[in-house]
Amino acid sequence: MSGTDQTRTRLTPPQDAAAPVRHPDAPPPGELLGAHYDRCFGCGTGQPHGLHLEARAGEGVSVRAEFTVKEAHQGAPGLAHGGVLATALDETLGSLNWLLRVIAVTGRLETDFVAPVPLGTVLHLEARVTAVHGRKIYSTAVGRIGGPDGPVAVRAEAVFIEVKVDHFIDNGRAEEIQAAMADPDQVKRARAFEVNP
C-alpha cells in the first residue's frame, strides 16, 4: 500500500461507522456560532491578525463560514498563505463539534489547494460531518471564492478525536486555562475548549 493509500484509509470512515446525529441542544440552522475563544487565531476577535472567521450552523451536522483574506494573511505576494487557508478549513471543521456538543481536537487534516486565493477575497467555507466511529469524527470541508457557489479554491478531509476537557487543562498554559474556566458564562466556558489540539 502506498503512502497515499494509507492516508486515504485513515480519512475514510470504517464500514461500521455511524451517521452523525445533530445534538438536540445544537444551535438552530442559520445561527451565528461566534468565537469559541476570544484569543483563538481562527475565530477570536482578540487576535488583531487572526482570521476572524465567522461560522453559522447549517442543516444537519454542517456549518457555513466566511473569512476575508487580509494583508497579514499573505504568503506569495498578493495571495493567501497556504497555511492560513488550511487554518481556515481546520477552524470551520472544528466548529462542527459544537453541533455534536462534544469536545474534539484535530487528529488528521488533509488539504488540497485547488486555486490561488488573492488578498481581499472572501473565502466561503462549508463543512459537514460524514460519520462518527467511537471517538473519531470524520468530516469534509470546501472553500470557494466569488460566492458560496463559486469555484472551489481549497478543500479538506479531517478526522477529529473526541477528548475530555482535561486534555486542555493538562497541556495548556495555566493562566489562559484559568481565565477560560473562570468565565461566568457557562456556554462560553464550555466552548473555549471545543476545538484544536
Side-chain angles (χ1 to χ4, degrees):
M1 184 183 296
S2 73
T4 302
D5 293 337
Q6 290 173 355
T7 298
R8 181 67 48 212
T9 301
R10 287 185 276 190
L11 290 168
T12 303
Q15 290 185 341
D16 62 339
V21 176
R22 184 188 188 100
H23 193 279
D25 295 331
E31 183 171 308
L32 184 64
L33 299 179
H36 76 89
Y37 179 56
D38 187 52
R39 295 183 191 174
C40 174
F41 179 78
C43 66
T45 56
Q47 289 289 351
H49 299 296
L51 304 185
H52 302 156
L53 186 136
E54 292 187 347
R56 291 186 180 275
E59 298 293 332
V61 188
S62 71
V63 297
R64 288 185 176 267
E66 291 182 359
F67 100 94
T68 302
V69 180
K70 298 184 177 155
E71 189 172 336
H73 304 143
Q74 71 185 307
L79 297 174
H81 190 288
V84 168
L85 298 175
T87 301
L89 288 162
D90 184 47
E91 187 69 32
T92 304
L93 289 158
S95 296
L96 291 165
N97 298 321
W98 187 240
L99 303 180
L100 297 172
R101 297 298 291 266
V102 299
I103 299 171
V105 296
T106 311
R108 182 169 195 85
L109 174 69
E110 183 176 303
T111 305
D112 295 318
F113 302 94
V114 180
V117 180
L119 294 184
T121 299
V122 176
L123 190 65
H124 300 267
L125 299 130
E126 185 172 2
R128 67 183 178 89
V129 175
T130 58
V132 177
H133 187 259
R135 293 175 46 223
K136 293 182 179 180
I137 302 163
Y138 295 84
S139 52
T140 63
V142 64
R144 298 176 183 271
I145 56 177
D149 298 317
V152 172
V154 290
R155 62 178 162 248
E157 292 184 70
V159 176
F160 277 71
I161 310 298
E162 186 175 350
V163 296
K164 302 292 183 202
V165 74
D166 292 351
H167 169 85
F168 300 95
I169 294 169
D170 294 345
N171 296 292
R173 200 164 74 166
E175 48 268 35
E176 277 83 11
I177 297 296
Q178 289 168 357
M181 295 294 280
D183 194 315
D185 185 327
Q186 290 184 9
V187 172
K188 282 178 65 179
R189 186 169 58 233
R191 290 203 63 208
F193 301 100
E194 77 183 24
V195 295
N196 299 328

